[in-house]
């Protein structure tokens, strides 16, 4: 569903949000798209266990845990942060994943960086037996295939399509299915230029660009300015944004409009990729730091 933002922009620019967050109450947005064909493949291969990776607040971890439970699959999450296994009280994301039956393997950040190494994969096989592996963030060719279904014929009239970028799978699918005349803008939630190479693995078209100045310090980093923006946006539109991905992306889009980045009369489509499950955990973190919290209903 495309939903117009009730804000007036100069030069005849219009913005609509594609509410991918409304696809499913739990596995929403790009996680639904990324898991769709991976789950079918796991079942087709007759695998009864899924192993995947993520941080303590990962939308992907929560989505895999729930989707696995719904499909009768055992799920194992390799979680970045060995210190977390000693915490008696898990954060909301991990509590939810655990309630869905996910088993955790907590590893140090140093070990986590080896997650794509053959030796680490062998360790996982020795520990958990035969399984279906889904990468961190869910990005692989089947995930990109699912994300190619985000755009429909109804979206052909837009000049620009904007989305948040984590591991690159979502924007890759959008690039592959966009019309040649459409420009795809990705807003990374992480620092660094490595995502360019990751995306090029899955796309052939060149009608895309990464806007790298709206990460607010890097993955998981927020500011009082960003929190204020998300709260004001919700008050104005009743559309909830998460502070890790969509909040930063929308902040960037509106800032670019104010900076005259877009030509007059541009029609902009913004993809809401979900991620709202992380708000509760973020608010707990913000409260501990005596910072303003997100006042959105999800």
């Amino acid at each position: 569903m495309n939903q117009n933002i009730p804000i007036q922009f100069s030069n005849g620019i219009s913005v609509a949000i594609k509410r991918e967050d409304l696809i499913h109450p739990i596995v929403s947005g790009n996680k639904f798209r990324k898991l769709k064909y991976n789950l079918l493949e796991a079942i087709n291969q007759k695998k009864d266990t899924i192993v995947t990776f993520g941080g303590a607040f990962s939308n992907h971890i929560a989505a895999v845990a729930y989707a696995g439970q719904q499909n009768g699959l055992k799920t194992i999450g390799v979680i970045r942060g060995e210190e977390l296994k000693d915490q008696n009280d898990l954060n909301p994301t991990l509590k939810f994943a655990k309630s869905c039956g996910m088993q955790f393997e907590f590893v140090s950040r140093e070990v986590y960086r080896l997650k794509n190494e053959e030796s680490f994969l062998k360790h996982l096989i020795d520990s958990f037996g035969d399984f279906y592996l889904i990468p961190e963030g869910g990005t692989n060719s089947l995930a990109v295939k699912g994300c190619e279904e985000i755009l429909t014929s109804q979206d052909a009239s837009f000049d620009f399509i904007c989305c948040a970028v984590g591991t690159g799978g979502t924007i890759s699918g959008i690039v592959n299915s966009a019309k040649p005349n459409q420009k795809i803008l990705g807003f990374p939630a992480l620092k660094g230029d490595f995502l360019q190479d990751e995306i090029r693995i899955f796309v052939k078209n060149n009608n895309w660009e990464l806007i790298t100045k709206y990460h607010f310090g890097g993955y998981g980093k927020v500011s009082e300015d960003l929190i204020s923006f998300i709260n004001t946006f919700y008050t104005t539109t009743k559309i909830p944004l998460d502070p890790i991905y969509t909040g930063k992306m929308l902040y960037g889009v509106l800032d670019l409009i104010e900076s005259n980045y877009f030509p007059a009369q541009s029609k902009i489509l913004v993809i809401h990729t979900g991620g709202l499950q992380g708000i509760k955990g973020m608010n707990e973190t913000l409260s501990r730091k005596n910072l303003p919290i997100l006042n959105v209903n999800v």
Side-chain angles (χ1 to χ4, degrees), residues 276-291:
L276 300 175
Q277 68 82 29
I279 289 177
K280 185 176 181 181
M282 176 60 73
N283 276 343
E284 289 184 357
T285 299
L286 293 170
S287 295
R288 286 196 300 270
K289 296 180 178 180
N290 294 316
L291 294 172

Side-chain angles (χ1 to χ4, degrees), residues 172 195-204 206 208:
S172 297
L195 283 168
Q196 300 272 359
D197 294 333
E198 296 294 320
I199 294 167
R200 290 192 182 99
I201 293 173
F202 300 107
V203 305
K204 295 181 179 178
N206 294 314
W208 58 279

Side-chain angles (χ1 to χ4, degrees), residues 17-71:
I17 296 183
K18 193 173 186 72
R19 297 293 305 274
E20 288 283 293
D21 59 307
L22 300 178
I23 290 178
H24 188 279
I26 305 297
V27 187
S28 70
N30 62 341
K31 299 310 174 190
F32 181 94
R33 304 292 189 181
K34 288 182 173 183
L35 290 176
K36 177 181 177 179
Y37 292 109
N38 272 293
L39 289 172
L40 289 173
E41 181 62 19
I43 294 169
N44 182 58
Q45 292 184 17
K46 297 184 173 13
K47 300 293 178 70
D48 60 8
T49 301
I50 291 177
V51 171
T52 195
F53 308 90
F57 296 92
S58 167
N59 298 319
H60 174 67
I61 288 293
V64 169
Y66 180 86
Q69 181 187 56
Q70 295 299 303
N71 287 275

